[in-house]
Amino acid sequence: MMDAMLAPMGPRQAVGGAHGPTKRALKRLLSGISFLLVAPLVAQTKLLAMVLKTDQPFQLASHTLSLCPGIVGNYLRRAFYRSTLPRCGVDVCIEFGTVLHQATVEIGDRVYIGCHSSIGECTIEDDVLIGSNVDILSGKHQHYFDDPDVPMRDQGGRLEKIRIGPDCWLGNSSVVMADVGPKSIVAAGSVVTRDVEPYTIVGGNPAELIRKR
Ligand SMILES: CC(C)(COP(=O)(O)OP(=O)(O)OC[C@H]1O[C@@H](n2cnc3c(N)ncnc32)[C@H](O)[C@@H]1OP(=O)(O)O)[C@@H](O)C(=O)NCCC(=O)NCCS
């Protein structure tokens, strides 16, 4: 019960739960403690990233923190990402098992990301709800494949920054490799290969229009 009271913003609260002053104060206290607890990891990550000039130190921290269960993990992950990402808004909740692959990911206010999701290069705007086992890819072109005589691993590739607009909902187990316009919904199990227009519900593989909202 206590856990539920003090949990960082979850999906239901993100759409309008009540918060008493005592609960808010306790949450602030727990957030403060979390920032102190992750401070050594933040310092180590930033230092190693400066020296190595790769995202590997960030990934090491992200993988490690993803294994921290329950409410404790949610507080620690939020504190870490608020300290390291270019943007990680207020009342963000990132659940157990979810990893971020790039230190350049941007996350807006009141974003919820469920368990075991995999987050590539992207901007996630305010109030986005992301289910469990969701895969946001860094676009579609991580590996070039023009020359069949050269192994794809040697042909290079590029990461593209995917944008998930404000107040979108990505259903469980969706795979997203293109932009999703504001206020849109991606049905559970869908594969988004083309940009989704605003106020649109899409579903299936490849994701097609179900209807406008
Ligand atoms: C997209 C969604 C919100 C639509 O809900 P809805 O409006 O009640 O949809 P309906 O059940 O009326 O279905 C409308 C059409 O969309 C199709 N559809 C619904 N969900 C679909 C899915 N996941 N994939 C493909 N098509 C889907 C239906 O088959 C139906 O098609 P039809 O008109 O040809 O029969 C819902 O299906 C969904 O996927 N929600 C996400 C749930 C989830 O992941 N929750 C956990 C994370 S919080």
Side-chain angles (χ1 to χ4, degrees), residues 126-168:
D126 297 345
D127 298 303
V128 170
L129 300 171
I130 299 177
S132 298
N133 301 303
V134 172
D135 203 349
I136 301 181
L137 305 181
S138 309
K140 310 177 201 174
H141 303 107
Q142 292 82 358
H143 301 286
Y144 296 141
F145 48 86
D146 290 340
D147 187 348
D149 297 326
V150 176
M152 284 181 274
R153 59 177 300 143
D154 296 331
Q155 294 194 43
R158 67 175 189 277
L159 302 185
E160 292 153 1
K161 196 161 201 169
I162 297 304
R163 178 173 292 272
I164 312 296
D167 193 26
C168 284

Side-chain angles (χ1 to χ4, degrees), residues 2-20 23-24 26-28 30-31 34 70-79 82 88-96 107-115 125-130:
M2 197 64 178
D3 268 12
M5 277 178 60
L6 299 178
M9 187 81 64
R12 285 182 200 288
Q13 291 156 303
V15 289
H19 296 275
K23 204 200 290 189
R24 269 202 301 273
L26 269 171
K27 283 183 167 187
R28 267 203 299 275
L30 290 175
S31 289
S34 304
I71 181 177
V72 174
N74 291 351
Y75 271 98
L76 294 179
R77 280 185 287 276
R78 185 169 60 180
R82 277 177 71 79
C88 181
V90 297
D91 292 329
V92 163
C93 180
I94 299 176
E95 297 277 10
F96 177 74
I107 302 178
D109 295 335
R110 300 170 299 281
V111 167
Y112 174 85
I113 308 179
C115 293
E125 301 282 6
D126 297 345
D127 298 303
V128 170
L129 300 171
I130 299 177

Side-chain angles (χ1 to χ4, degrees), residues 35 42 45-46 55 58-59 61-62 65 76-89 92 94 98-108 111 113 119-124 161:
F35 274 100
V42 170
T45 303
K46 288 185 173 177
D55 277 339
F58 176 81
Q59 288 161 358
S62 180
L65 286 173
L76 294 179
R77 280 185 287 276
R78 185 169 60 180
F80 177 78
Y81 293 129
R82 277 177 71 79
S83 306
T84 51
L85 295 179
R87 183 178 177 218
C88 181
V92 163
I94 299 176
T98 287
V99 293
L100 275 58
H101 300 289
Q102 265 78 39
T104 43
V105 167
E106 295 174 68
I107 302 178
V111 167
I113 308 179
I119 310 296
E121 182 70 288
C122 65
T123 297
I124 303 171
K161 196 161 201 169

Side-chain angles (χ1 to χ4, degrees), residues 130-132 169-172 185-190 201-204 210-211:
I130 299 177
S132 298
W169 177 21
L170 309 185
N172 276 17
I185 299 172
V186 174
S190 305
I201 305 174
V202 296
I210 291 179
R211 64 169 184 275

Side-chain angles (χ1 to χ4, degrees), residues 165-184:
D167 193 26
C168 284
W169 177 21
L170 309 185
N172 276 17
S173 300
S174 51
V175 178
V176 178
M177 54 182 105
D179 292 352
V180 181
K183 307 225 171 239
S184 291

